[in-house]
DNA sequence: TTGTAAGCGTTATCAA
DNA sequence: TTGATAACGCTTACAA
């Protein structure tokens, strides 16, 4: 492994001069530069990035914690993040968490050990307060409303759009509305926004019987609907947490030969377009881009991106 | 920033002893270990990963080059790769290439600079021969048939399944079949496999007029079909390169009030299931897992995963 | 069982 | 404009 000392020795200059040549710094005569470059070319020498990182105290790497890539929300977020990272000349390192707090802790520990310059939580199982204590080791950005945690955040501002969507249901005369969620209200900001929008529009908290949680895939949506059917409840509308999931719901009713409730999806997926129900686009790519910006700049700030209700039919 | 020397000094032991405690090595008495650990805890000391990497000459990081995350193929590949990396205790660093050779070169250069322990190409714009010359800097794995490049590879074995799919079309009496591809035949192994399967089943090379390339999204599929329609050609069947794309095709014919050709999709997507056309599952997650295995182990080997034709209707 | 000291390969400060 | 040398923070022979 040839290193900077070899280049120095063979060129007759010092390592510092070689370093200056490598980093295109000033204070090197054209002749010196040429002579050093010649040796570099001859030896086919390249500097070592790890040594460079150590010396500079920076890795140009952002750790991105994400539970999985099963949901389009996370895929879009990652797309936005990598796109912005490419421009900013940062590397993105993928840290899968499966929503598990204990795994997230291992990444926080790695963050302390200087493995990444900054950390982005696309979702978090850990309490925000616990995450916030690691800010002393570098910038941390979350992709959800930061509440009073003092964390930087880029996130989709959902509630107002949820209110808008539910209002259209109410206007259509839908009184009995079921809500599907990916995670329990207690642990999910998104689920909370959904419940709160319901409260705002319908004037009361959603009753447990009209909720289904842990609905992630189309199959989950189908199962949730089957449980609704089996319970004997009838809903005039179902507010699903993705278009794919809405399709699962549609299927369940069709297979049971029952009238399909009014459906609203989310994430602006192909399936929603096909089945022609309204959807909500959370502009997750933009959220991801902003999150990366915050991570790189170290700015302590919250950026809310408005969601968009799409109702073309 | 407290370091290992501080711990050594305050504990009264040497850095090597501290290092042994940190790395849970033998040859440390219980008392010494306890004493050192006490100082570590008091100082709230953690080792620096970058320094560790430099010293060990390893980063525990695999660079994964991928053009984008727009296609489910790449998403699934990444899922498989990260899943396997998690188990193997490796980090995955995402390197977006947008299919551009010049960008890929920058990653190969970073690889030389020891930025990653190994490299996985989920797709490549560069010639395999050029990529292969970088193997002297560490393991490189590609996700396509490696031909005679001498590169390690994990990939979907597509041709036989393409033959199977096209055969069912032929058996149904479909003579005029159009083929949709994401990239031109000249640059894409997958497109080549498609064309070759056609040759095997139909006894002749596909004519240019029955091909559409650069078809990536559903909208592209729709446009491609519209061009077919405008050209006055009629096809009895269209072999699409994803289920979403097949849906785009379907749309174009429906909007033109024309009979929809027999459709076959790929990737086993939700849309295909909904529209109920046959599809091909390339088991990309498994491909990704195997690719990571190869990258980590450094084994020079090719692993072909059989694709699966799914025809439930 | 513990310690010394030489790496690992850069960058950065300061003197010349 | 160039060079010595001290960081950066850890691991690991080898010696004791």
């Amino acid at each position: 492994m040839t290193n900077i000392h070899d280049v120095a020795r063979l060129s007759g200059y010092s390592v510092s001069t070689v370093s200056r040549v490598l980093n295109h710094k000033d204070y090197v005569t054209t002749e010196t530069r040429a002579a050093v470059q010649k040796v570099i070319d001859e030896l086919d020498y390249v500097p070592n990035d790890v040594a460079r990182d150590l010396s500079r105290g920076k890795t140009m790497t952002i750790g991105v914690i994400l539970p999985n890539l099963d949901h389009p929300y996370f895929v879009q977020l990652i797309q936005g993040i990598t796109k912005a990272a490419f421009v900013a000349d940062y590397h993105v390192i993928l840290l899968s968490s499966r929503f598990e707090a204990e795994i997230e802790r291992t990444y926080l520990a790695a963050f302390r050990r200087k493995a990444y310059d900054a950390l982005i939580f696309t979702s978090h199982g850990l309490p925000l307060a616990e995450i916030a204590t690691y800010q002393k080791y570098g910038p941390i950005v979350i992709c959800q409303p930061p509440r009073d945690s003092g964390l930087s955040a880029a996130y989709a501002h959902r509630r107002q759009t949820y209110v808008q969507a539910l209002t259209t249901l109410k206007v259509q005369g839908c009184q009995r509305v079921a809500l599907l969620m990916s995670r329990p209200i207690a642990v999910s900001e998104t689920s909370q926004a959904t419940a709160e929008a319901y409260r705002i529009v319908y004037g009361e908290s959603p009753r447990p019987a009209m909720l289904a949680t842990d609905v992630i895939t189309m199959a989950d949506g189908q199962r949730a609907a089957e449980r609704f059917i089996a319970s004997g409840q009838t809903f005039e509308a179902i507010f699903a947490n993705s278009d794919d999931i809405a399709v699962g719901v549609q299927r369940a009713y069709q297979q049971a030969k029952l009238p399909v409730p009014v459906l609203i999806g989310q994430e602006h997926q192909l399936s929603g377009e096909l089945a022609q129900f309204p959807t909500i686009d959370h502009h997750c790519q933009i959220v991801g881009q902003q999150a990366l910006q915050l991570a790189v700049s170290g700015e302590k700030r919250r950026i809310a991106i408005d969601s968009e209700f799409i109702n073309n039919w």
Side-chain angles (χ1 to χ4, degrees), chain A:
Chain A
M1 181 85 304
T2 131
N3 61 25
I4 199 171
H5 288 104
D6 298 331
V7 178
R9 196 163 24 79
L10 267 75
S11 67
Y13 289 91
S14 68
V15 286
S16 29
T17 299
V18 176
S19 177
R20 283 190 204 100
V21 172
L22 286 174
N23 296 290
H24 307 288
K25 294 238 174 102
D26 290 344
Y27 303 120
V28 184
T29 58
T30 322
E31 300 81 54
T32 305
R33 187 177 298 278
V36 169
Q37 190 61 52
K38 183 151 167 286
V39 175
I40 289 175
D41 294 341
E42 279 169 11
L43 293 181
D44 200 22
Y45 161 79
V46 283
N48 178 306
D49 271 357
V50 182
R52 195 168 255 188
D53 287 348
L54 174 62
S55 192
R56 290 194 182 140
K58 273 186 92 179
T59 61
M60 301 305 282
T61 285
I62 310 285
V64 178
I65 296 178
L66 85 168
N68 57 61
L69 284 174
D70 293 338
H71 199 286
Y73 168 70
F74 295 113
V75 175
Q76 287 176 33
L77 226 40
I78 288 293
Q79 285 192 94
I81 290 170
T82 48
K83 204 169 280 187
F86 185 84
V87 173
D89 217 19
Y90 267 79
H91 278 157
V92 168
I93 200 152
L94 240 44
L95 309 171
S96 30
S97 69
R98 302 186 306 209
F99 287 116
E100 290 175 30
E102 219 31 76
I103 295 179
E104 292 176 14
R105 281 206 184 89
T106 67
Y107 298 133
L108 284 172
F111 186 45
R112 278 193 64 181
R113 294 193 308 263
K114 303 270 179 213
Y116 338 107
D117 288 352
L119 215 42
I120 297 176
F121 279 81
T122 63
S123 89
H124 59 96
L126 290 173
L128 290 183
E130 183 175 346
I131 294 172
T133 63
Y134 283 79
Q135 284 183 107
K136 57 177 171 239
Y137 304 112
I140 301 183
V141 180
I142 61 172
C143 297
Q144 273 167 33
R147 307 232 173 181
D148 58 353
S149 65
L151 286 159
S152 275
Y155 56 95
H157 184 40
R158 308 172 117 95
R159 212 190 58 193
Q160 59 176 34
T161 313
Y162 285 173
V163 168
Q164 193 184 346
L166 290 174
T167 301
T168 68
L169 291 179
K170 196 181 179 191
V171 167
Q172 285 174 59
C174 298
Q175 281 305 322
R176 288 183 306 280
V177 179
L179 308 173
L180 306 190
M181 303 167 169
S182 59
R183 302 172 71 207
I185 292 182
V187 301
S188 164
E189 194 69 40
T190 300
S191 302
Q192 283 158 31
T194 310
E196 197 174 339
Y198 182 91
R199 201 156 32 239
I200 290 170
V201 175
Y202 285 97
E204 58 178 26
S205 292
R207 279 166 293 112
M210 60 172 60
L211 297 179
T213 61
D214 299 292
V215 180
I216 314 288
T217 66
M218 189 200 65
D220 295 334
Q222 185 163 353
R223 277 191 288 272
E226 283 163 357
R227 276 197 300 277
F228 285 148
I229 294 167
S231 75
Q233 298 178 86
T234 61
F235 293 108
E236 290 146 356
I238 295 183
F239 184 45
N241 47 333
S242 90
D243 294 345
D244 284 1
I245 289 165
V247 169
V249 170
Q250 185 181 41
R251 268 209 192 171
Y253 280 92
Q254 284 170 345
Q255 289 186 0
K257 313 272 187 214
L258 291 170
V260 179
V262 175
L263 290 170
I264 294 181
Q266 287 185 59
E267 307 303 342
H268 201 181
Q269 296 174 285
L270 172 62
S271 54
E273 207 165 329
L274 290 177
Q276 304 209 325
F277 30 69
T279 187
I280 295 173
D281 191 326
H282 295 296
H283 300 308
C284 298
Q285 278 219 35
I286 296 172
V287 171
Q289 288 177 15
Q290 300 287 357
L292 189 111
Q293 289 299 338
L294 288 176
V296 166
S297 69
E299 270 180 288
K300 202 172 236 171
R301 199 150 74 86
R302 52 184 68 192
I303 301 176
I305 308 291
D306 283 332
S307 300
E308 184 186 357
F309 183 47
I310 297 173
N311 189 358
N312 294 324
W313 324 108

